Amino acid sequence: MGQATLYSVSYWISNLIATAIGSILPAGARTVVTSSDVVTGFAVLIFAVVILAASMLNTIMLIWWERKLLGRFMDRRGAMHVGYAGLLQNFADGFKLFRKNTVKPREADALGFYLGPTSYMVTSLAIFGILPISSGWDTGALPLTLLLALAIFSFAPLFIFISAWSSNNKYSLMGGMRSAAQMIAYEVPLLLAVVAVVIVAGSFDLNTIVYEQQNYWFWGPLFLALVVFVAAMLAEMERIPFDLPEAEAELVEGWNTEYGGMLFAFFMLSDYLRALVGSILVVLLFLGGWTLPSWVPSAATSFPLAGIFWFMLKTYLVFGLFVWIRASLPRVRTDQLLRVGWNRMIPLSLLSVFLAALLVTAKCLPVFGCVPSPGI
Amino acid sequence: MQPDDLSRILAPKLGENLLVVEPFDGMAGRVRFRREGALELFRIVRDELTFTHLSMVGGIDWVDHREVFYVAWSDSVRQYVLLSTDVPATDAHLESATPVWPSANWHERETWELVDVTFDHHPDLRHLLTPDGYVFHPLLRSFKLHEPEELEVKSRHV
Amino acid sequence: MSEMWINMGPQHPMTHGLWNLRVRIDGELILDADPEMGYLHRGIEKISEDRHYNEVVTLMDRCCYVAGLAWEHLYVLASEKALHITPPERAEYIRMMCDEFQRIGSHIMWYAAFVQDIGLMSPFLYGMRDRDLVLDLFQSFSGARLTYEYMRVGGVRNDLPPTFTGHARKILDWLEQRFREYDQLCLGSAIFHKRCDNLGVLKANDCVTHGITGPMLRSAGVKRDLRKDRPYARYDAVDFDVAVADGADVTGRYLVRMEEMRQSIRILRQVVDWLEQHPGPVMADQLPRWLGAPYAPVGREGYLLKRNYAKGVGFSSVEEPHGEAQAYVVNEGSEHPYRVKFRSPVFANLAAVRQYLVGYRVADIPPILGSVDVCVGEVDR
């Protein structure tokens, strides 16, 4: 668990490649190629490519999981034919979108039209460089990974609004405004629920937060914060019951009405990337990340890549809960949603912060089996 | 309510504008009236006879004249009544029933555009089912759907 | 944002049919509404003037495609009055059975579309699947699932198959327990109530002056149902209650339609029992000769060129799933009707859209229009 982190593996691969290339070059170039700067840079590149591939693959599998599970809730089977049990369906869909024409309306603003979805996708992908999937996924000694991840996560309303406005379409504009208002309103309870976790864990670093949960997961003492976080995350991900901005019943497709082809694929992938980020955050902050409770026999945690396996299992189960909610609830109207966000969620999240502080100062955490760390 | 009750109430108010009240199967009666007494008849039918719900206005083209009929329902006596009047084809005007029964609005728009009977003082007489700017009035007998074929004797009402 | 007119339609996933709803909005608030109809106008009334009396029945299926048999029933009732024909009793019970199953099918379709519009995705598919069972039943005796062409002037086309009553009873039992699930998913959800309570309110007086009928009128507390007030086709011989609610809002209309479905099941159980115990003819026996021969060659000396049959005028009204529909058939003594005029309930309900849409938000349009249950085929004809 501690020896082979992803970064050390990619450094090793990079070293190998540098030595191989350097062996056929003259001496001066060889020292340049095998110097630690070049090797480090190349290792970072490999690392980034691996994370990119893993996150994209995971997103596509997440879409598959949603389609099948939603289908079962609706008493039908979801995608069936392409690949075994429809596993390759989303690759086929992605390929279709990839080869499609991207049409920009003549009156649409070109910079915003192309930059909006692209930036949206970039910010959704960038978070994955920081989120740890298992203990070997160490991304470096960043003390504030959680804060950074949430900061990048909250760029989204800006780019949605840019995309909506530059589409030159009344419906898109309305959808974009609603969407931005919804996301901004629910950032506050989201972050306050996270503050509750940080108070109990004592650090903003995701690795430390998971480490603090190794005896008891935070969903016990911080149940209120979990509920607030899940609800706020549903609003951030724009899923039912909070998906009015893209409600097809009235605005056709909302703020991405005018987009087709690869730009639409960017939106769709970004939506599911954010859904994945949301589920991963729930697992990291409340469900113990890649650890299992100590009473589980060690055989379950000592096979290779065990951490990743349990982490992914938990993430997909949490996302399954989101899909279940989507299949069973109607949509909330935008003004009702904003009213709930400002009037109900924020007090609840403040209450959860208060409870967390109470737990820590009253030293009640050992009741839950948590061992508080010595200061931040 | 029987046709006799209707004529008993309507005859003194309308005088010669009321032509005849006939029995009609399953209804309170069929009131034929002259178009001059239209608005007054509507008001009496709605207020005194309590037929508050106007459900249908239609037009029939009898080539030399056109007939406009109204069907109204009363919740208190739970019956329909049929009112019908004739307008000459050369001067197809009639007073609109919209001030009395707001539900007549769309029905009269449709009757105008299909059977070419203009309703005076209608708040919004424009095309409803046919496109804007459509010059034909399709349900007139003179509007042929297809030319008569030699084999079928279909053009009988010219 | 300044005021602007937006077009919802004619191609729009929510409007359920081909029409254009123009609303003038100020931000999210609706200031005015002006529907544009006519995209589906096929001239059914004009075509009927060139068709034989029984051939018009095919047109009635397409008039309102969700409740085809109810419109066929409407037309054949009016034609029978115009032609002075009386159908046999078994035919009337069969027509009643068709009407009530059609009511269940139409209301399930309404339910599926309505909940889909407010965001519930799963009951849409549950409703479609249950409606398929009802369509299976229609297919068993008429051969079609949407355009039945089953009724004729004087009776119905053919008798029911012998397995019909068992099949029907099984479906009725299944549907009864499914309706309980539908209610749990909707009435049990707080979000549903937040979105649908006190929405699209149109009080009883306004309903009546604007010509509104059907579930919209009954949700305002007015206990008007043509099956009780002016019974046709043996509705006076069966036992049922009229569904009324008092909210005059979207939730009230939902409750009225769900209760109507349950009352339909109650009627159907009685009708199916009667049909099992009383075999008999399904077509009147004293029909004019020309009524049964639409394709006899013209030109032959005989009845098709003789045109002095008895004249008449027929008026009928049925309680169609969307409301009260009426037909006025003028018979001038030939084998084609002289004039056929229909009154569609959705026509009148949509004419008053300004009354119940103005003052609400744009996000409220799907629940409100869903509660009106628009079927554009019968508006445009």
Side-chain angles (χ1 to χ4, degrees), chain A residues 220-238:
Chain A
L222 292 175
F223 191 70
L224 183 60
L226 172 63
V227 168
V228 170
F229 188 86
V230 165
M233 219 9 129
L234 277 172
E236 288 288 325
M237 301 192 296
E238 282 193 1

Side-chain angles (χ1 to χ4, degrees), chain A residues 67-94:
Chain A
R67 284 170 81 150
K68 295 296 268 186
L69 195 61
L70 196 65
R72 286 292 174 170
F73 277 118
M74 295 180 179
D75 210 8
R76 58 182 177 89
R77 293 202 186 175
M80 292 280 289
H81 299 290
V82 183
Y84 177 72
L87 280 168
L88 295 180
Q89 174 74 51
N90 292 300
F91 292 99
D93 289 339

Side-chain angles (χ1 to χ4, degrees), chain C residues 285-299:
Chain C
D285 43 359
Q286 295 298 330
L287 289 177
R289 285 184 62 203
W290 53 268
L291 198 59
Y295 298 112
V298 183

Side-chain angles (χ1 to χ4, degrees), chain A residues 256-271:
Chain A
N256 46 6
T257 312
E258 294 288 342
Y259 289 92
M262 204 55 201
L263 292 177
F264 175 72
F266 279 172
F267 276 126
M268 215 177 102
L269 278 174
S270 308
D271 271 344

Side-chain angles (χ1 to χ4, degrees), chain C residues 15-218:
Chain C
T15 50
H16 298 306
L18 208 58
W19 60 291
N20 190 5
L21 177 67
R22 308 187 62 230
V23 282
R24 185 158 64 105
I25 60 171
D26 178 12
E28 279 270 322
L29 196 67
I30 300 176
L31 300 169
D32 200 4
D34 178 28
E36 258 181 39
M37 320 303 307
Y39 287 92
L40 210 52
H41 179 60
R42 296 151 289 179
I44 285 184
E45 296 173 356
K46 180 74 178 179
I47 298 176
S48 310
E49 295 173 7
D50 269 343
R51 293 285 180 277
H52 207 268
Y53 277 93
N54 275 333
E55 290 174 327
V56 179
V57 170
T58 39
L59 297 172
M60 301 318 299
D61 285 322
R62 285 121 179 110
C63 205
C64 175
Y65 28 83
V66 189
L69 281 171
W71 280 76
E72 287 183 24
H73 192 185
L74 171 76
Y75 167 73
V76 298
L77 276 178
S79 302
E80 282 166 3
K81 295 214 185 102
L83 295 168
H84 319 289
I85 297 173
T86 325
E89 197 180 8
R90 187 174 167 86
E92 295 197 300
Y93 270 88
I94 291 180
R95 287 177 182 172
M96 207 161 46
M97 179 272 300
C98 292
D99 250 10
E100 291 306 313
F101 265 119
Q102 196 75 121
R103 192 179 314 275
I104 292 180
S106 171
H107 282 336
I108 291 180
M109 178 90 211
W110 159 80
Y111 173 81
F114 176 64
V115 297
Q116 166 83 330
D117 283 341
I118 62 172
L120 272 169
M121 310 171 67
S122 320
F124 173 64
L125 289 153
Y126 303 157
M128 286 291 124
R129 200 206 30 210
D130 293 334
R131 183 163 176 260
D132 247 33
L133 297 172
V134 175
L135 295 183
D136 279 343
L137 198 68
F138 287 142
Q139 188 181 9
S140 74
F141 62 79
S142 84
R145 299 171 82 86
L146 191 74
T147 51
Y148 312 100
E149 215 220 309
Y150 179 59
M151 302 199 187
R152 296 281 183 273
V153 178
V156 293
R157 181 180 71 196
N158 52 266
D159 205 344
L160 307 170
T163 53
F164 177 80
T165 46
H167 192 184
R169 285 198 184 104
K170 264 200 300 206
I171 289 180
L172 290 173
D173 292 331
W174 169 255
L175 284 175
E176 203 156 14
Q177 86 195 53
R178 294 294 283 180
F179 292 158
R180 259 176 259 140
E181 279 186 35
Y182 292 173
D183 265 349
Q184 277 172 349
L185 274 168
C186 286
L187 291 181
S189 162
I191 302 180
F192 178 85
H193 282 287
K194 274 182 94 156
R195 285 212 68 186
C196 296
D197 278 353
N198 295 320
L199 213 66
V201 173
L202 195 63
K203 296 278 179 202
N205 257 342
D206 290 330
C207 277
V208 171
T209 45
H210 283 97
I212 302 219
T213 55
M216 280 189 81
L217 182 64
R218 287 195 281 278

Side-chain angles (χ1 to χ4, degrees), chain B residues 5 16 24 32 36 70 74 88 104 112 132 142 157:
Chain B
D5 305 318
E16 59 165 33
F24 193 85
R32 291 186 196 270
E36 288 81 19
Y70 303 76
S74 160
W112 163 69
D132 292 336
S142 50
H157 304 282

